[in-house]
Amino acid sequence: MHELSIAQSIVELAEQQARSHKATAIEELELEIGSLAGVELQSLEFALESSVKGTMLNDARIVRHDIKAEGRCGDCETEFPVETLFSPCPKCGSYAVKIIRGKELRIKSIVVK
Ligand SMILES: [Zn+2]
């Protein structure tokens, strides 16, 4: 399962960070997940629940920020919300659209004990 490996790498990264701060536990983990990141949020949440067991994240509060995807038209520079990777520009109809946000899946911050 795709989401499970993502969850495991989130846990690993967070623990690495915590260790580098000589922490023994993580109190809070903030995640940023773009709407085009390609993850199923419910599966990810479920995967995280099982992945944190017995780790420094065992009792951590996980805060998720969902990032709405936005694109910028390469022809007329219009910025607009996009639902899929292949959305045309609403202003000029061009498909030369660059996704400027919404593909991210990252740890925004962690709070350690
Ligand atoms: Zn355009």
Side-chain angles (χ1 to χ4, degrees), residues 73 75-78 89 91-94:
C73 176
D75 289 328
C76 73
E77 307 273 289
T78 302
C89 171
K91 203 173 164 198
C92 72
S94 168

Side-chain angles (χ1 to χ4, degrees), residues 33-39 66-70 82-83 102-104:
I33 302 174
S35 57
L36 294 179
V39 292
D66 299 336
I67 311 284
K68 279 232 172 280
E70 275 175 36
V82 293
E83 302 286 327
K103 284 165 99 173
E104 56 274 79

